[in-house]
Amino acid sequence: MKKIFNSLLLAMVAALPMLTSCSDDNGSNPTVTQPTEFIINASPLADQYIQLSADNMVNLTWSQPNYGFNALATYQIQVGLVEGGNVTWNTKDGAPKYLKTTYTVCNANISGDEIAESICDLDGFKDADSYVDKGFREVALRVYSCLMNANGEEIANSGIISDNYVTFKHMAAFNAVKSPAYIYLVGNPTGWATPNAGNLETYIPWRLYEKDDEIGSDVYYGTFTIPAIDPLQFRFYRELLGWDLTSMGPQEADAGVDSSFKDGSFEGPIMWDVNTFYKGSWNFGAFEGGTITMKVDLKKKTVNFTIN
């Protein structure tokens, strides 16, 4: 009888001892040579029926590549689909596309959500509405290893893909298609309409989106044509939940902050915190009308507005 393995069973091999070859003892600036002998270990779940979910994990272990010394390597996982004995690996513009999470040990509990997202990418689903359940299929995993310098850059000649790959004969994805997130511009260009669900149609044209290849970046872009207005005032909201929730602006107080374009551009900070609501707004005096391109980086907490 087929057995569908849930999150508890998928993680049951997570307690396997990590190989002692994984170490952060790099010695005294040893010379990096092209590594060799990079093997992924077989999984005891390779022949089981595995239904991926957002909450489960798949365990994978491997031996450290032979760098000639005990190196602290960075490992990345690549997913592939197996059909007719051939593997189609997930790539972007001809280069390998790895899962977001990286590892520095030789024992990884890989997110079922990340694997499913990669499978959906391989299947070519562009948005959640286009998803089709394709059931259980054979899925391959392989590992890329490299050494990083203090700036997070890959050290030359240190990269190697695993000599082998492992497959899970019966693995099923789910609808893990990720779409670009967005935020809303709220201000007098929108008539200061209350940012709630009842005004969704008003605010759809005033969304700033993540780029398709930067999903999860928390960096948002939008270009808006705004008529002449005096003064031009606005702030941003993550969601349309009313005035007092998810607001983001240049200060906490509910008041305008005098701002100006210099050579058609403005850069400054944006205040954002999940527990505090920043209802200040940028105040740009008399705006003669035109098109403004906006970038809101909520990780760096900066904004850039440029008049085109």
Side-chain angles (χ1 to χ4, degrees):
M1 181 177 179
K2 296 179 180 178
K3 294 183 179 181
I4 309 301
F5 276 67
N6 61 21
S7 58
L8 293 176
L9 294 180
L10 289 178
M12 72 179 184
V13 292
L16 291 174
M18 290 181 288
L19 300 178
T20 57
S21 60
C22 289
S23 170
D24 59 359
D25 180 10
N26 286 359
S28 302
N29 299 318
T31 301
V32 176
T33 58
Q34 185 66 48
T36 59
E37 302 173 18
F38 185 17
I39 303 297
I40 305 177
N41 301 319
S43 170
L45 300 180
D47 295 318
Q48 305 300 330
Y49 282 77
I50 301 172
Q51 173 62 64
L52 298 171
S53 78
D55 300 318
N56 65 16
M57 297 177 292
V58 175
N59 184 260
L60 198 65
T61 65
W62 54 86
S63 63
Q64 186 182 69
N66 180 11
Y67 283 103
F69 60 94
N70 288 332
L72 180 62
T74 296
Y75 302 101
Q76 298 171 278
I77 312 296
Q78 188 180 20
V79 176
L81 288 173
V82 184
E83 187 172 359
N86 297 316
V87 182
T88 300
W89 296 104
N90 197 5
T91 61
K92 181 180 179 181
D93 299 328
K97 186 174 182 179
Y98 300 109
L99 301 184
K100 295 182 181 70
T101 302
T102 61
Y103 305 88
T104 56
V105 295
C106 305
N107 185 335
N109 288 319
I110 308 166
S111 162
D113 186 53
E114 287 192 37
I115 297 174
E117 182 181 349
S118 188
I119 293 172
C120 290
D121 196 27
L122 278 160
D123 285 330
F125 300 129
K126 299 301 183 184
D127 53 54
D129 292 337
S130 66
Y131 175 78
V132 176
D133 185 356
K134 300 204 173 192
F136 292 96
R137 290 180 290 172
E138 187 172 6
V139 176
L141 299 177
R142 64 181 179 181
V143 184
Y144 179 77
S145 173
C146 68
L147 304 182
M148 298 287 190
N149 63 22
N151 296 321
E153 301 165 333
E154 182 174 331
I155 296 175
N157 299 318
S158 71
I160 181 175
I161 197 77
S162 54
D163 298 337
N164 66 325
Y165 59 85
V166 295
T167 69
F168 293 85
K169 302 294 185 183
H170 314 285
M171 182 176 281
F174 63 98
N175 192 343
V177 182
K178 300 295 188 292
S179 299
Y182 49 81
I183 60 175
Y184 297 91
L185 181 149
V186 176
N188 51 11
T190 67
W192 285 112
T194 303
N196 59 24
N199 286 320
L200 175 60
E201 291 188 8
T202 296
Y203 279 110
I204 287 177
W206 297 97
R207 286 174 174 172
L208 293 81
Y209 289 87
E210 294 177 319
K211 292 183 177 179
D212 289 339
D213 58 352
E214 295 181 3
I215 293 175
S217 66
D218 228 7
V219 181
Y220 302 88
Y221 303 85
T223 299
F224 307 103
T225 299
I226 300 174
I229 193 169
D230 184 13
L232 172 60
Q233 296 176 317
F234 58 88
R235 57 178 174 260
F236 300 98
Y237 282 75
R238 274 193 177 273
E239 299 179 70
L240 300 179
L241 299 175
W243 290 115
D244 298 325
L245 295 174
T246 77
S247 54
M248 302 171 286
Q251 67 178 17
E252 184 175 354
D254 189 1
V257 174
D258 289 338
S259 309
S260 61
F261 291 100
K262 182 178 180 180
D263 298 326
S265 182
F266 172 84
E267 295 184 11
I270 183 171
M271 309 298 286
W272 159 245
D273 185 89
V274 293
N275 298 313
T276 306
F277 310 119
Y278 297 91
K279 295 180 68 176
S281 57
W282 287 273
N283 186 339
F284 282 98
F287 180 65
E288 297 180 354
T291 301
I292 301 179
T293 294
M294 300 183 178
K295 176 182 177 182
V296 177
D297 188 330
L298 294 182
K299 284 191 174 178
K300 294 182 179 179
K301 295 188 176 181
T302 60
V303 298
N304 181 284
F305 311 136
T306 303
I307 302 175
N308 299 329

